[in-house]
Amino acid sequence: MKFTLSWLKEHLDTNASLEAIVEKLTMIGLEVESVEDPAKKFAPFKVVEVISAVQHPNADRLRVCMVNTGEGAPLQVVCGAPNARAGIKAVLGLPGTYIPGKNITLGVGKIRDVVSNGMLISGAEIEYSTDADGIIELPADTPVGKSFADVVGANDPVIEINLTPNRTDCTGVSGIARDLSAADVGKLKSPAPKKIEGKFPCPVQVKLDFASGQSLCPAFALRLVKGAKNGPSPEWLQTKLKAIGLRPINALVDITNFITFDRGRPLHVFDAKKVHGNLVVRRAKKGESLLALDGKTYQLDETMCVIADDKAVESLAGIMGGEASGCDETTTDVLIESALWAPNNIAQTGRKLGIHSDARYRFERGVDPAFMRPGLDLATQMVLDLCGGEASQVVVAGSTEANDKPIDFPLDEIKRLAGLDVEFAEAKRILNALGFHVAGNAPRVKVAVPSWRPDIEGKADLVEEVVRIAGVDRVPPTPFPRGDAQRKPVLTTTQLRVRKARRSLAARGMVEAVTWSFIAKAQAELFGGGKPELALANPIASDLSDMRPSLIPGLVASAQRNSDRGIADTALFEVGQVFAGAAPEQQFTAASGVRRGRAKGTGHGRHWMNGGDADVFDAKADALAVLAAAGAPVSALQIVPGGPAWFHPGRSGTIQIGPQNILGHFGELHPRALEALDAQGPVAAFEVILERIPEPKAKATRAKPALELSPFQPVERDFAFVVARDVKAADIVRAAQNADKKLVTGVTVFDIYEGKGIDPDKKSIAIAVTMQPRDKTMTDEEIDAIGQKIVAEVTKRTGGTLRG
Amino acid sequence: MDARVNPGHDHMKAKRMSDIATLEAEILKGIAAASDEAALEAVRVSSLGKKGSVSELLATLGKMTPDERKAKGPLINGLKDKVNTAINARRDALKNSALDARLATESVDVTLPVRDSAAETGRIHPVSQVIDELTAIFADMGFAVAEGPDIETDDYNFTKLNFPEGHPAREMHDTFYFNPREDGSRLLLRTHTSPVQVRTMLKQKPPIRVIIPGRTYRSDSDQTHTPMFHQVEGLVIDKGSHLGHLKWILEEFCKAFFEVDQVKMRFRPSFFPFTEPSMEVDIQCRREKGEIRFGEGEDWLEILGCGMVHPNLLRNCGLDPDEYQGFAWGMGIDRIAMLKYGMPDLRPFFEADVRWLSHYGFRPLDFPTLAGGLSA
């Protein structure tokens, strides 16, 4: 919402400064977005007289001018404008002056070796006009030395407020003035429009035709002014409209635009000679269309409200009129419409057709129903004043009656909700000034809401009205102790897991990324997603269309982008939402990571110490680290070969606690998956779902179990087994552990060998077994006996033989 | 008396004594000449071994008269001790030089670079770090952390929050919708974290004190907007919390979060469908060369919206607005992260450029705590 200071002062008697008004507007909830003060912009530029203008010695197109500034000796200025010549009055910018149109600050300079003490300026250079062809020429009688701002009378600051959607009353300057007057910045003086009785019946009748459903037009008023003379509107009106960025069209149209901004009351004018028969307000019919005043043709449907005559749709109700019945310079008979529209319907239609008009802006917020008729009178008066003619009587269809129940307002609500003490007298003064009627006395009053405040529903709204005008800054900050609440953890299990997962992965040298929750459909499908219920109806881009089933595609794409920038070895992770379905319980928290190129767990890139490509074991270590940090029962986790299709079939694994609870997967990505993601490998990745980790058991005590230390030295023995190549190391380890569950406390795989000395279809796996005696030192015989049990168990489980 | 006493005795005595001296000199020479442990051992055997020269001398002591023994005993024993000491000293010296020699062969180029510590190269995203900071601050004030799903119903995202159907406030949200379901209803991506206010109030009886961080979505993308961003909300519901408390909490929060002693805030009346009265909050700051300093300066910077929970929202959640009251506030996590840590642009937050993440991210062990300072 834009207006000028002088426009405001037509409704508000005030001596307050611009600064004070701007400050107050913001502090009562009418946030000032910008103040443009042309006076300030033009003030530094002075009227000068060009005494002489001679050819520049070194440039064909430049002239060296001597100018009289009204004080001191004439100044020398170099100028390139073709109209720079002796005798004219021009406008000078002195060194140090900011030139808004060029975004430069002038200095004393030499132009082709000739000193220039400033610049004679064009209209475009100071954003006064669009004229860039020559310097500004002023009338010969313009006094030298005068500020350009004074010369053009540009002393009217333009204020733009960022109006919140509830404040329909402030879509007009009069409403803004009312708010300011309530806040003690002057006295409201908006004149009430004079009622105009028509001289003859309005020849056009109006019918509201919503027989089949809910009315989209509560009321509609219309009158004819005949014998008017349209043409350009007077300068004062044009200046006003131009100041707030509107283009003057003709007097009739400008009047409606003026009242729209002056009173927040949009109107429409039809050229009566272009209207055929009577008007009917109805829903559009499928297939109808309208060439609107913006020159575009809109296709209409039954959800939209239109004004039609006997032949066609003439106006898109409350949003934009039609070109066919619009007023132009030739219009002599004008139908003036002032109506009420269903706000939701206006919003819906406007959104559907993509029309942002000043009328829509107001009607979708809900205009003052009581001002429908006065608004029409105000417009009529202006038409009669500016264009002449004779006004008809008014035809009204529908009703502007509102059924408003006063609000029961216990005054201590102010203290209860806002923590602010406001005397009854002050509260009453504020409410009255805003147009509310307060009946009764403290502590409980009845408050009637003015017709222009459809946003006020209940007592909380009244508290806001009182507090915002009294001043929110008066509310004292009040300590808010935590009270008797027990200090206990505030994070849920999952929140805690998220936090630990992040820190543990970062501690493994990985960098946390936050990638989009939506990915391309093809990628979603590749990773087991792509369900129709998870596809956006209005994605912002085609490759951000589907909710992600996995974090891996986003991370792989991110790693590839880094590679494209020259950083090939990246380890990225993310902890975030993945979507198996649209229901809340189908949203899971995944922790995933990718290692691309040489981003190994032991360090990134080529290095003399070690190196090589990240592989399945880096991903496995990452996955297990996250699970351990997040509190998974590490000893209960099973690693099963293989994983989902996007992993390398022979270099991937599944982490589970029994076949029913799969916690996650790890592995090297399948080359085909990488190709589909348009990424180059190798990439090792993992993904675990934090919710799948079993809930920790509630513990009665924080004490750890008693520490049992054996006084006897542990014994370590090495065994090497020759087994078939497809035998899993984990089976050998488990067999060794099972040989004596009490004494065997550790089994480590320390060597894998295939090659010379071993059958080609076999491999050798060497393990170190730790035995921890409990009661006494073990004898050699006892150790050997366990060794034999281990060999027997491994042989039984894997078919392996002790390597000789 | 002693038949063996004879005139040559003194001569012999002198000879023996000179023999001992000679022997000593010989042995010590041999010790010194021993170039390794084996040579030294040979010297030891030839002197102190069973048949060694010194052992043989020692054996003569038994046959001596007490006087002789008294005279020679110390000499011979002294020789033994000297030889022993010399051998031990030589052995130590040999050991040391052997060790030195070995060490000399073991030297490496210590200027070779080692691997960087993983905990130094890994990074936490600024958004995660700031969520941890917020949690630390508000946990201290008695707030729990609540969360909700990203995919929401229209009812929770708008209707229950008092956004009337068709109201312009709805349109300001640029909502991402899913395709209509069989019953015609449409799910959406939450446009703010406020639906979790509804979920919390429906699930939990007051008193309620929660903060709600999370991802939010609006179909908006330009220099300063991304289709996905992060918000954090606060919600308090009880029987007496009012605007004064809200002001105090937000002031405490700003001081703690921006780590300044004083902060000047400006509360401006504003509008949100789910609060009444509603306010926007500006914080005073000074902008200089792209840096923002809080607690000083003359500029106002908008950082959050807040207000008293709207009676309609309380009613929609089954709470009587005459009995319960409270307040809520919301702000952009990405935005306050930018303000605090000086990132000039929003878009890189979601571009996963490791150069940006390494620069603006946080080390995993730099966990924000009130005890250690949030960004210490």
Side-chain angles (χ1 to χ4, degrees), chain B residues 163-185:
Chain B
F163 281 77
E165 190 75 46
H167 195 270
R170 254 184 204 222
E171 199 182 338
M172 288 166 76
H173 276 222
D174 295 323
T175 311
F176 281 114
Y177 285 99
F178 292 90
N179 290 313
R181 294 186 288 185
E182 274 176 15
D183 63 359
S185 67

PDB file of all heavy atoms in Angstrom, chain B residues 163-185:
ATOM      1  N   PHE B 163      -6.133 -20.523   9.643  1.00  0.00           N
ATOM      2  CA  PHE B 163      -6.045 -19.927   8.312  1.00  0.00           C
ATOM      3  C   PHE B 163      -7.382 -20.208   7.643  1.00  0.00           C
ATOM      4  O   PHE B 163      -7.636 -21.347   7.262  1.00  0.00           O
ATOM      5  CB  PHE B 163      -4.967 -20.601   7.461  1.00  0.00           C
ATOM      6  CG  PHE B 163      -3.570 -20.178   7.761  1.00  0.00           C
ATOM      7  CD1 PHE B 163      -2.910 -20.650   8.882  1.00  0.00           C
ATOM      8  CD2 PHE B 163      -2.885 -19.346   6.888  1.00  0.00           C
ATOM      9  CE1 PHE B 163      -1.604 -20.284   9.134  1.00  0.00           C
ATOM     10  CE2 PHE B 163      -1.577 -18.979   7.139  1.00  0.00           C
ATOM     11  CZ  PHE B 163      -0.926 -19.445   8.267  1.00  0.00           C
ATOM     12  N   PRO B 164      -8.258 -19.228   7.483  1.00  0.00           N
ATOM     13  CA  PRO B 164      -9.541 -19.515   6.847  1.00  0.00           C
ATOM     14  C   PRO B 164      -9.308 -19.956   5.406  1.00  0.00           C
ATOM     15  O   PRO B 164      -8.359 -19.526   4.758  1.00  0.00           O
ATOM     16  CB  PRO B 164     -10.277 -18.177   6.889  1.00  0.00           C
ATOM     17  CG  PRO B 164      -9.504 -17.313   7.828  1.00  0.00           C
ATOM     18  CD  PRO B 164      -8.102 -17.822   7.845  1.00  0.00           C
ATOM     19  N   GLU B 165     -10.174 -20.830   4.962  1.00  0.00           N
ATOM     20  CA  GLU B 165     -10.133 -21.283   3.564  1.00  0.00           C
ATOM     21  C   GLU B 165     -10.175 -20.067   2.643  1.00  0.00           C
ATOM     22  O   GLU B 165     -10.997 -19.176   2.822  1.00  0.00           O
ATOM     23  CB  GLU B 165     -11.348 -22.180   3.326  1.00  0.00           C
ATOM     24  CG  GLU B 165     -11.365 -22.928   2.008  1.00  0.00           C
ATOM     25  CD  GLU B 165     -10.414 -24.094   2.010  1.00  0.00           C
ATOM     26  OE1 GLU B 165     -10.404 -24.859   2.995  1.00  0.00           O
ATOM     27  OE2 GLU B 165      -9.672 -24.217   1.023  1.00  0.00           O
ATOM     28  N   GLY B 166      -9.267 -20.015   1.699  1.00  0.00           N
ATOM     29  CA  GLY B 166      -9.301 -18.933   0.717  1.00  0.00           C
ATOM     30  C   GLY B 166      -8.711 -17.614   1.197  1.00  0.00           C
ATOM     31  O   GLY B 166      -8.650 -16.656   0.450  1.00  0.00           O
ATOM     32  N   HIS B 167      -8.276 -17.568   2.452  1.00  0.00           N
ATOM     33  CA  HIS B 167      -7.741 -16.311   2.970  1.00  0.00           C
ATOM     34  C   HIS B 167      -6.388 -15.998   2.316  1.00  0.00           C
ATOM     35  O   HIS B 167      -5.612 -16.913   2.041  1.00  0.00           O
ATOM     36  CB  HIS B 167      -7.567 -16.432   4.483  1.00  0.00           C
ATOM     37  CG  HIS B 167      -7.365 -15.111   5.159  1.00  0.00           C
ATOM     38  ND1 HIS B 167      -6.118 -14.568   5.342  1.00  0.00           N
ATOM     39  CD2 HIS B 167      -8.245 -14.231   5.689  1.00  0.00           C
ATOM     40  CE1 HIS B 167      -6.255 -13.398   5.961  1.00  0.00           C
ATOM     41  NE2 HIS B 167      -7.528 -13.176   6.184  1.00  0.00           N
ATOM     42  N   PRO B 168      -6.139 -14.702   2.048  1.00  0.00           N
ATOM     43  CA  PRO B 168      -4.862 -14.362   1.400  1.00  0.00           C
ATOM     44  C   PRO B 168      -3.653 -14.869   2.195  1.00  0.00           C
ATOM     45  O   PRO B 168      -2.606 -15.137   1.615  1.00  0.00           O
ATOM     46  CB  PRO B 168      -4.876 -12.835   1.360  1.00  0.00           C
ATOM     47  CG  PRO B 168      -6.296 -12.435   1.537  1.00  0.00           C
ATOM     48  CD  PRO B 168      -6.993 -13.541   2.253  1.00  0.00           C
ATOM     49  N   ALA B 169      -3.803 -15.022   3.507  1.00  0.00           N
ATOM     50  CA  ALA B 169      -2.669 -15.495   4.302  1.00  0.00           C
ATOM     51  C   ALA B 169      -2.243 -16.886   3.850  1.00  0.00           C
ATOM     52  O   ALA B 169      -1.079 -17.254   3.938  1.00  0.00           O
ATOM     53  CB  ALA B 169      -3.046 -15.522   5.781  1.00  0.00           C
ATOM     54  N   ARG B 170      -3.202 -17.680   3.357  1.00  0.00           N
ATOM     55  CA  ARG B 170      -2.847 -18.998   2.858  1.00  0.00           C
ATOM     56  C   ARG B 170      -1.990 -18.892   1.617  1.00  0.00           C
ATOM     57  O   ARG B 170      -1.054 -19.649   1.425  1.00  0.00           O
ATOM     58  CB  ARG B 170      -4.122 -19.756   2.478  1.00  0.00           C
ATOM     59  CG  ARG B 170      -4.471 -20.819   3.452  1.00  0.00           C
ATOM     60  CD  ARG B 170      -5.670 -21.585   2.950  1.00  0.00           C
ATOM     61  NE  ARG B 170      -6.298 -22.172   4.109  1.00  0.00           N
ATOM     62  CZ  ARG B 170      -6.773 -23.408   4.163  1.00  0.00           C
ATOM     63  NH1 ARG B 170      -6.715 -24.164   3.103  1.00  0.00           N
ATOM     64  NH2 ARG B 170      -7.297 -23.870   5.251  1.00  0.00           N
ATOM     65  N   GLU B 171      -2.367 -17.935   0.793  1.00  0.00           N
ATOM     66  CA  GLU B 171      -1.679 -17.822  -0.482  1.00  0.00           C
ATOM     67  C   GLU B 171      -0.243 -17.352  -0.302  1.00  0.00           C
ATOM     68  O   GLU B 171       0.633 -17.665  -1.098  1.00  0.00           O
ATOM     69  CB  GLU B 171      -2.424 -16.845  -1.394  1.00  0.00           C
ATOM     70  CG  GLU B 171      -2.043 -17.024  -2.829  1.00  0.00           C
ATOM     71  CD  GLU B 171      -2.750 -16.035  -3.705  1.00  0.00           C
ATOM     72  OE1 GLU B 171      -3.804 -15.511  -3.293  1.00  0.00           O
ATOM     73  OE2 GLU B 171      -2.247 -15.785  -4.796  1.00  0.00           O
ATOM     74  N   MET B 172      -0.017 -16.618   0.789  1.00  0.00           N
ATOM     75  CA  MET B 172       1.340 -16.137   1.030  1.00  0.00           C
ATOM     76  C   MET B 172       2.301 -17.302   1.269  1.00  0.00           C
ATOM     77  O   MET B 172       3.500 -17.117   1.343  1.00  0.00           O
ATOM     78  CB  MET B 172       1.355 -15.204   2.241  1.00  0.00           C
ATOM     79  CG  MET B 172       0.711 -13.848   1.940  1.00  0.00           C
ATOM     80  SD  MET B 172       0.376 -12.922   3.445  1.00  0.00           S
ATOM     81  CE  MET B 172       2.017 -12.362   3.864  1.00  0.00           C
ATOM     82  N   HIS B 173       1.770 -18.503   1.433  1.00  0.00           N
ATOM     83  CA  HIS B 173       2.639 -19.617   1.792  1.00  0.00           C
ATOM     84  C   HIS B 173       3.198 -20.431   0.631  1.00  0.00           C
ATOM     85  O   HIS B 173       4.018 -21.302   0.853  1.00  0.00           O
ATOM     86  CB  HIS B 173       1.913 -20.546   2.779  1.00  0.00           C
ATOM     87  CG  HIS B 173       2.043 -20.047   4.186  1.00  0.00           C
ATOM     88  ND1 HIS B 173       2.294 -20.888   5.237  1.00  0.00           N
ATOM     89  CD2 HIS B 173       1.996 -18.822   4.702  1.00  0.00           C
ATOM     90  CE1 HIS B 173       2.374 -20.169   6.353  1.00  0.00           C
ATOM     91  NE2 HIS B 173       2.183 -18.914   6.045  1.00  0.00           N
ATOM     92  N   ASP B 174       2.767 -20.184  -0.607  1.00  0.00           N
ATOM     93  CA  ASP B 174       3.350 -20.898  -1.750  1.00  0.00           C
ATOM     94  C   ASP B 174       3.538 -22.379  -1.472  1.00  0.00           C
ATOM     95  O   ASP B 174       4.650 -22.898  -1.428  1.00  0.00           O
ATOM     96  CB  ASP B 174       4.716 -20.293  -2.117  1.00  0.00           C
ATOM     97  CG  ASP B 174       4.598 -18.872  -2.598  1.00  0.00           C
ATOM     98  OD1 ASP B 174       3.621 -18.581  -3.289  1.00  0.00           O
ATOM     99  OD2 ASP B 174       5.483 -18.060  -2.267  1.00  0.00           O
ATOM    100  N   THR B 175       2.417 -23.065  -1.299  1.00  0.00           N
ATOM    101  CA  THR B 175       2.459 -24.431  -0.790  1.00  0.00           C
ATOM    102  C   THR B 175       2.770 -25.471  -1.870  1.00  0.00           C
ATOM    103  O   THR B 175       2.264 -25.378  -2.983  1.00  0.00           O
ATOM    104  CB  THR B 175       1.091 -24.754  -0.162  1.00  0.00           C
ATOM    105  OG1 THR B 175       0.753 -23.687   0.713  1.00  0.00           O
ATOM    106  CG2 THR B 175       1.132 -26.057   0.604  1.00  0.00           C
ATOM    107  N   PHE B 176       3.584 -26.452  -1.503  1.00  0.00           N
ATOM    108  CA  PHE B 176       3.764 -27.648  -2.335  1.00  0.00           C
ATOM    109  C   PHE B 176       2.668 -28.639  -1.985  1.00  0.00           C
ATOM    110  O   PHE B 176       2.527 -29.018  -0.816  1.00  0.00           O
ATOM    111  CB  PHE B 176       5.092 -28.335  -2.015  1.00  0.00           C
ATOM    112  CG  PHE B 176       6.295 -27.695  -2.637  1.00  0.00           C
ATOM    113  CD1 PHE B 176       7.262 -27.100  -1.838  1.00  0.00           C
ATOM    114  CD2 PHE B 176       6.498 -27.729  -4.007  1.00  0.00           C
ATOM    115  CE1 PHE B 176       8.402 -26.535  -2.398  1.00  0.00           C
ATOM    116  CE2 PHE B 176       7.636 -27.166  -4.570  1.00  0.00           C
ATOM    117  CZ  PHE B 176       8.584 -26.569  -3.769  1.00  0.00           C
ATOM    118  N   TYR B 177       1.927 -29.068  -2.982  1.00  0.00           N
ATOM    119  CA  TYR B 177       0.863 -30.044  -2.745  1.00  0.00           C
ATOM    120  C   TYR B 177       1.208 -31.392  -3.375  1.00  0.00           C
ATOM    121  O   TYR B 177       1.957 -31.462  -4.342  1.00  0.00           O
ATOM    122  CB  TYR B 177      -0.457 -29.553  -3.353  1.00  0.00           C
ATOM    123  CG  TYR B 177      -1.107 -28.452  -2.551  1.00  0.00           C
ATOM    124  CD1 TYR B 177      -0.960 -27.122  -2.918  1.00  0.00           C
ATOM    125  CD2 TYR B 177      -1.842 -28.759  -1.415  1.00  0.00           C
ATOM    126  CE1 TYR B 177      -1.548 -26.104  -2.170  1.00  0.00           C
ATOM    127  CE2 TYR B 177      -2.439 -27.753  -0.668  1.00  0.00           C
ATOM    128  CZ  TYR B 177      -2.286 -26.429  -1.045  1.00  0.00           C
ATOM    129  OH  TYR B 177      -2.867 -25.448  -0.303  1.00  0.00           O
ATOM    130  N   PHE B 178       0.629 -32.447  -2.798  1.00  0.00           N
ATOM    131  CA  PHE B 178       0.672 -33.754  -3.438  1.00  0.00           C
ATOM    132  C   PHE B 178      -0.611 -33.913  -4.253  1.00  0.00           C
ATOM    133  O   PHE B 178      -1.570 -33.154  -4.079  1.00  0.00           O
ATOM    134  CB  PHE B 178       0.808 -34.869  -2.394  1.00  0.00           C
ATOM    135  CG  PHE B 178       2.147 -34.823  -1.706  1.00  0.00           C
ATOM    136  CD1 PHE B 178       2.334 -34.074  -0.550  1.00  0.00           C
ATOM    137  CD2 PHE B 178       3.229 -35.500  -2.246  1.00  0.00           C
ATOM    138  CE1 PHE B 178       3.574 -34.000   0.049  1.00  0.00           C
ATOM    139  CE2 PHE B 178       4.475 -35.424  -1.641  1.00  0.00           C
ATOM    140  CZ  PHE B 178       4.647 -34.679  -0.494  1.00  0.00           C
ATOM    141  N   ASN B 179      -0.626 -34.927  -5.088  1.00  0.00           N
ATOM    142  CA  ASN B 179      -1.826 -35.148  -5.889  1.00  0.00           C
ATOM    143  C   ASN B 179      -2.980 -35.518  -4.966  1.00  0.00           C
ATOM    144  O   ASN B 179      -2.771 -36.140  -3.929  1.00  0.00           O
ATOM    145  CB  ASN B 179      -1.565 -36.242  -6.921  1.00  0.00           C
ATOM    146  CG  ASN B 179      -0.595 -35.746  -7.986  1.00  0.00           C
ATOM    147  OD1 ASN B 179      -0.746 -34.647  -8.517  1.00  0.00           O
ATOM    148  ND2 ASN B 179       0.440 -36.526  -8.255  1.00  0.00           N
ATOM    149  N   PRO B 180      -4.215 -35.135  -5.343  1.00  0.00           N
ATOM    150  CA  PRO B 180      -5.370 -35.411  -4.480  1.00  0.00           C
ATOM    151  C   PRO B 180      -5.516 -36.909  -4.235  1.00  0.00           C
ATOM    152  O   PRO B 180      -5.213 -37.731  -5.099  1.00  0.00           O
ATOM    153  CB  PRO B 180      -6.552 -34.882  -5.292  1.00  0.00           C
ATOM    154  CG  PRO B 180      -5.973 -33.964  -6.297  1.00  0.00           C
ATOM    155  CD  PRO B 180      -4.586 -34.434  -6.571  1.00  0.00           C
ATOM    156  N   ARG B 181      -5.966 -37.234  -3.016  1.00  0.00           N
ATOM    157  CA  ARG B 181      -6.212 -38.639  -2.681  1.00  0.00           C
ATOM    158  C   ARG B 181      -7.618 -39.019  -3.120  1.00  0.00           C
ATOM    159  O   ARG B 181      -8.361 -38.202  -3.649  1.00  0.00           O
ATOM    160  CB  ARG B 181      -6.039 -38.831  -1.166  1.00  0.00           C
ATOM    161  CG  ARG B 181      -4.596 -38.603  -0.743  1.00  0.00           C
ATOM    162  CD  ARG B 181      -4.397 -38.933   0.712  1.00  0.00           C
ATOM    163  NE  ARG B 181      -5.019 -37.930   1.566  1.00  0.00           N
ATOM    164  CZ  ARG B 181      -4.905 -37.932   2.903  1.00  0.00           C
ATOM    165  NH1 ARG B 181      -4.212 -38.869   3.499  1.00  0.00           N
ATOM    166  NH2 ARG B 181      -5.485 -36.996   3.619  1.00  0.00           N
ATOM    167  N   GLU B 182      -7.965 -40.266  -2.856  1.00  0.00           N
ATOM    168  CA  GLU B 182      -9.258 -40.749  -3.329  1.00  0.00           C
ATOM    169  C   GLU B 182     -10.420 -39.928  -2.774  1.00  0.00           C
ATOM    170  O   GLU B 182     -11.408 -39.682  -3.448  1.00  0.00           O
ATOM    171  CB  GLU B 182      -9.435 -42.221  -2.984  1.00  0.00           C
ATOM    172  CG  GLU B 182      -8.814 -43.129  -4.052  1.00  0.00           C
ATOM    173  CD  GLU B 182      -8.883 -44.586  -3.677  1.00  0.00           C
ATOM    174  OE1 GLU B 182      -9.646 -44.926  -2.753  1.00  0.00           O
ATOM    175  OE2 GLU B 182      -8.167 -45.372  -4.315  1.00  0.00           O
ATOM    176  N   ASP B 183     -10.292 -39.493  -1.516  1.00  0.00           N
ATOM    177  CA  ASP B 183     -11.384 -38.719  -0.914  1.00  0.00           C
ATOM    178  C   ASP B 183     -11.325 -37.239  -1.303  1.00  0.00           C
ATOM    179  O   ASP B 183     -12.082 -36.419  -0.798  1.00  0.00           O
ATOM    180  CB  ASP B 183     -11.366 -38.871   0.617  1.00  0.00           C
ATOM    181  CG  ASP B 183     -10.090 -38.308   1.224  1.00  0.00           C
ATOM    182  OD1 ASP B 183      -9.225 -37.816   0.452  1.00  0.00           O
ATOM    183  OD2 ASP B 183      -9.947 -38.345   2.451  1.00  0.00           O
ATOM    184  N   GLY B 184     -10.400 -36.888  -2.207  1.00  0.00           N
ATOM    185  CA  GLY B 184     -10.328 -35.514  -2.680  1.00  0.00           C
ATOM    186  C   GLY B 184      -9.409 -34.627  -1.862  1.00  0.00           C
ATOM    187  O   GLY B 184      -9.040 -33.541  -2.298  1.00  0.00           O
ATOM    188  N   SER B 185      -9.033 -35.082  -0.660  1.00  0.00           N
ATOM    189  CA  SER B 185      -8.164 -34.253   0.179  1.00  0.00           C
ATOM    190  C   SER B 185      -6.740 -34.288  -0.381  1.00  0.00           C
ATOM    191  O   SER B 185      -6.347 -35.244  -1.043  1.00  0.00           O
ATOM    192  CB  SER B 185      -8.191 -34.765   1.612  1.00  0.00           C
ATOM    193  OG  SER B 185      -7.588 -36.038   1.668  1.00  0.00           O
TER     194      SER B 185
END
